[in-house]
Amino acid sequence: IGYGAFKLLESQNTYEGNLTISHELGSTKVKQNPKNVVVFDFGVLDVLDYLDVDVVGLPKSSTVPSYLSKYNDDKYTNVGSLKDPNYIKISELKPELIIISTRQADLYNKFMEIAPTICLTLDEKDYLSSFEENVNTLGTIFNKKDKADNEISKIKQKIQTLKEKTTNKGLSALIVLTSSGDLSAYGPESRFGIIHKEFGVPPVNKNIVSSTHGQNITFEYIRDNNPDIIFVIDKGTVVSGGIPSKDLIENDLVASTKAAKNNRIYYLNAEIWYLSAGG
């Protein structure tokens, strides 16, 4: 659908928001408790679900995490995919707020022509603080600050309990993302670095290149670094299909590692780790 076409359906309303929300792409005036909220980030949707805030539209043309499957119901409008919004559908909903993330950042001005838009992102180098800031922002907008504070407190306590179990164990870890047969490693400064920095599991290699798509690696790399633990995130299960990560990872080269010998290869839920970061 051409971008210009949706403008025929644009609401002529002006939005006199009583809140000014600072975010990654600037600041936006937003109403308290806005109606007809459209969300383009599954992590944000997860947070809103915890806060009992309803939405009207989400990108159902992308894979909706199974634990958020209730949003596949027809009562929630499909507004395209994560990278290809349907601007006509969004305009028809007459949203008072659109929430996007890094994946849609380059489309921010187009969203702003429809309704007030905020961009909630995660700082990979300071995941927990940016997550907390995002939850606080949502709690402020939807007058759910007390509930937001309570949820953050519970999460911090869980992390502290986990860290007590991981600290001083002397077990190093390697985080590997698999995608159609390719392997990428992620370190402390990456999108999955919370495992190292907040959960307290030391990396087997502190020099992994920090990149959105990780550092390309081989099975020889895994063998040579010989981690005590391997965390595997299978992107293919939620995006492209392909070779199951278990079939890919558990080969003769990886079998020689301490992780394999001690049954410490763990397959993380890609819906949560890849699709819903920040939830």
Side-chain angles (χ1 to χ4, degrees):
I1 297 171
Y3 167 58
F6 88 88
K7 301 182 79 171
L8 297 174
L9 297 173
E10 266 190 287
S11 168
Q12 298 302 308
N13 294 334
T14 56
Y15 296 91
E16 297 298 332
N18 56 341
L19 297 172
T20 299
I21 302 299
S22 297
H23 55 91
E24 181 74 12
L25 301 178
S27 61
T28 303
K29 288 192 177 297
V30 176
K31 290 181 179 180
Q32 184 111 47
N33 291 318
K35 297 180 176 62
N36 301 338
V37 178
V38 173
V39 178
F40 271 87
D41 182 83
F42 294 129
V44 170
L45 181 63
D46 186 18
V47 174
L48 293 178
D49 191 61
Y50 265 87
L51 297 179
D52 296 320
V53 173
D54 209 7
V55 305
V56 296
L58 64 144
K60 294 198 282 187
S61 293
S62 295
T63 303
V64 179
S66 59
Y67 74 96
L68 295 172
S69 61
K70 75 177 190 181
Y71 293 99
N72 283 318
D73 190 284
D74 289 343
K75 67 183 280 190
Y76 302 102
T77 299
N78 181 6
V79 291
S81 69
L82 289 169
K83 294 295 288 182
D84 189 17
N86 186 324
Y87 298 109
I88 288 180
K89 287 291 185 183
I90 298 170
S91 294
E92 288 174 343
L93 292 171
K94 294 181 169 43
E96 292 185 346
L97 177 63
I98 301 170
I99 306 175
I100 65 173
S101 64
T102 303
R103 287 184 174 102
Q104 304 84 31
D106 58 339
L107 305 175
Y108 174 70
N109 290 333
K110 295 181 180 181
F111 285 116
M112 280 292 288
E113 291 193 37
I114 302 174
T117 300
I118 61 173
C119 181
L120 299 184
T121 61
L122 289 168
D123 182 350
E124 295 175 353
K125 296 183 179 180
D126 196 5
Y127 183 105
L128 196 57
S129 293
S130 59
F131 162 76
E132 184 174 352
E133 183 177 344
N134 288 346
V135 175
N136 282 330
T137 295
L138 295 170
T140 299
I141 292 173
F142 295 100
N143 201 24
K144 299 274 188 176
K145 195 67 170 57
D146 288 346
K147 189 164 188 177
D149 288 343
N150 184 54
E151 290 298 333
I152 289 171
S153 178
K154 288 193 292 185
I155 288 169
K156 285 184 173 180
Q157 183 56 55
K158 287 181 179 180
I159 290 175
Q160 181 59 37
T161 300
L162 176 59
K163 199 165 186 177
E164 289 170 3
K165 295 179 179 180
T166 62
T167 301
N168 300 322
K169 287 293 189 293
L171 299 176
S172 64
L174 178 65
I175 305 167
V176 178
L177 183 136
T178 66
S179 178
S180 301
D182 295 328
L183 306 176
S184 300
Y186 288 81
E189 304 300 323
S190 75
R191 62 196 297 183
F192 308 124
I194 187 173
I195 288 175
H196 299 308
K197 298 180 74 171
E198 274 78 29
F199 295 173
V201 184
V204 70
N205 187 331
K206 296 180 180 179
N207 298 316
I208 294 172
V209 175
S210 179
S211 166
T212 301
H213 301 291
Q215 176 181 317
N216 291 333
I217 62 169
T218 62
F219 293 114
E220 288 81 6
Y221 178 94
I222 299 176
R223 179 199 62 196
D224 295 344
N225 278 270
N226 195 21
D228 296 293
I229 303 168
I230 299 174
F231 293 110
V232 183
I233 302 166
D234 189 350
K235 176 182 174 181
T237 59
V238 293
V239 177
S240 59
I243 304 170
S245 57
K246 188 176 178 67
D247 295 342
L248 182 71
I249 289 289
E250 296 186 15
N251 56 45
D252 290 342
L253 288 170
V254 177
S256 67
T257 64
K258 290 179 287 187
K261 290 177 180 178
N262 292 293
N263 296 316
R264 289 197 177 109
I265 300 177
Y266 300 108
Y267 297 88
L268 305 183
N269 186 329
E271 290 187 327
I272 293 171
W273 285 87
Y274 188 78
L275 289 182
S276 301

